[in-house]
Amino acid sequence: MLQRLHILVIEDNLALRSSLAGLLQAHGHRADFAADGRSGLALALAEPPDVLVLDLNLPGLDGLSVCRRLREQSDRHVPVLMLTARDSLHDKLQGFDAGADDYLVKPFAGEELLARCLALSQRHRAGTGHLLRIGSLCLDRRSGEAQRHGRRLELLQMPRRILQELAEAWPRTLSRSELMQRLWGDDPPQSDPLRSHLYLLRQELDKPFPVAMLKTVHGVGFKLVSDE
């Protein structure tokens, strides 16, 4: 059965808004639109969508600020797909740090945007609260703060993102390639930093505790397991 979503698009380019309106409506989704950051944020807070498609460069209030304020003010987690012409790793990390869940670089294919919106609505449990709980682990998707047995985990940005991706997927295993795609999209770094980021995550998440939650599924990928 086709999943029909409520998608809010905040985009100041009229031609792109018109194109997305036709695309989303043709696939049976409900689409709302805003042309600037302030009015878009007001719409997102008044009626949280299943997915927010958010341009980075907006008049009034830029996309990063919209994302941060949404995370601060909304009482639920709204998956955010950020649109931008910027494609450097630094720009992507800025977007993720502001609270974006995924990143799509312009120009893009309409079918890819649709696929990412559907994936985000399922992966991030659209409309649910900010707190994810797996055993003794509590992860606040709004602030990024994680605790285990009440002890705050001091995580750097990438280990924190890995933990959130694994928590969102729980109890499923994420393959190495899927995790790399979620972290770096189609522009992975030349080196292989995943191993070092996973090591840092284990140092905080597992080392101080008797039961490890981060498991390597040999030949497949990585997953979280409940310790309770």
Side-chain angles (χ1 to χ4, degrees):
M1 182 177 179
L2 178 64
Q3 183 180 2
R4 302 184 186 279
L5 302 176
H6 171 208
I7 299 174
L8 171 61
V9 179
I10 309 179
E11 166 61 60
D12 64 331
N13 184 291
L14 177 59
L16 183 55
R17 286 204 310 273
S18 299
S19 174
L20 290 177
L23 174 74
L24 296 173
Q25 291 166 8
H27 284 79
H29 302 298
R30 174 189 165 193
D32 291 329
F33 295 87
D36 66 89
R38 293 189 186 282
S39 60
L41 177 62
L43 283 174
L45 291 171
E47 187 179 0
D50 295 319
V51 179
L52 171 59
V53 177
L54 177 63
D55 188 36
L56 184 58
N57 294 313
L58 292 168
L61 196 65
D62 65 65
L64 293 177
S65 298
V66 170
C67 198
R68 289 192 185 98
R69 295 190 187 187
L70 179 66
R71 293 290 178 248
E72 291 168 357
Q73 298 174 35
S74 179
D75 63 355
R76 69 193 70 184
H77 186 79
V78 177
V80 174
L81 174 61
M82 191 163 279
L83 301 181
T84 179
R86 305 176 188 176
D87 60 356
S88 75
L89 179 59
H90 174 72
D91 292 323
K92 291 180 181 180
L93 291 177
Q94 274 195 315
F96 289 133
D97 192 53
D101 297 296
D102 200 1
Y103 210 99
L104 192 56
V105 177
K106 300 175 183 177
F108 53 83
E111 294 301 322
E112 181 176 6
L113 181 137
L114 285 171
R116 293 200 182 203
C117 286
L118 286 169
L120 281 176
S121 71
Q122 297 163 3
R123 176 170 121 207
H124 290 270
R125 306 168 196 178
T128 62
H130 291 290
L131 295 181
L132 288 176
R133 297 183 185 274
I134 303 169
S136 66
L137 174 67
C138 179
L139 177 64
D140 188 325
R141 296 187 287 189
R142 174 164 50 187
S143 67
E145 181 177 316
Q147 296 183 356
R148 188 172 174 190
H149 289 297
R151 175 188 180 275
R152 180 174 178 175
L153 306 183
E154 300 295 338
L155 297 171
L156 298 175
Q157 184 182 52
M158 289 308 294
R160 185 175 73 241
R161 287 213 56 232
I162 292 171
L163 179 61
Q164 180 162 333
E165 294 296 349
L166 292 172
E168 297 283 2
W170 182 81
R172 188 168 68 85
T173 298
L174 286 183
S175 70
R176 183 183 182 85
S177 60
E178 186 176 1
L179 186 54
M180 293 280 287
Q181 174 69 31
R182 291 189 179 190
L183 294 173
W184 291 288
D186 297 323
D187 187 28
Q190 294 298 316
S191 60
D192 181 14
L194 187 58
R195 184 187 301 271
S196 61
H197 291 314
L198 286 167
Y199 171 79
L200 293 173
L201 175 56
R202 283 190 168 100
Q203 291 298 105
E204 280 294 313
L205 176 65
D206 288 339
K207 188 175 181 180
F209 305 99
V211 178
M213 296 186 68
L214 176 54
K215 299 291 186 181
T216 299
V217 182
H218 294 290
V220 182
F222 309 94
K223 67 182 296 184
L224 290 178
V225 295
S226 176
D227 59 346
E228 294 181 353

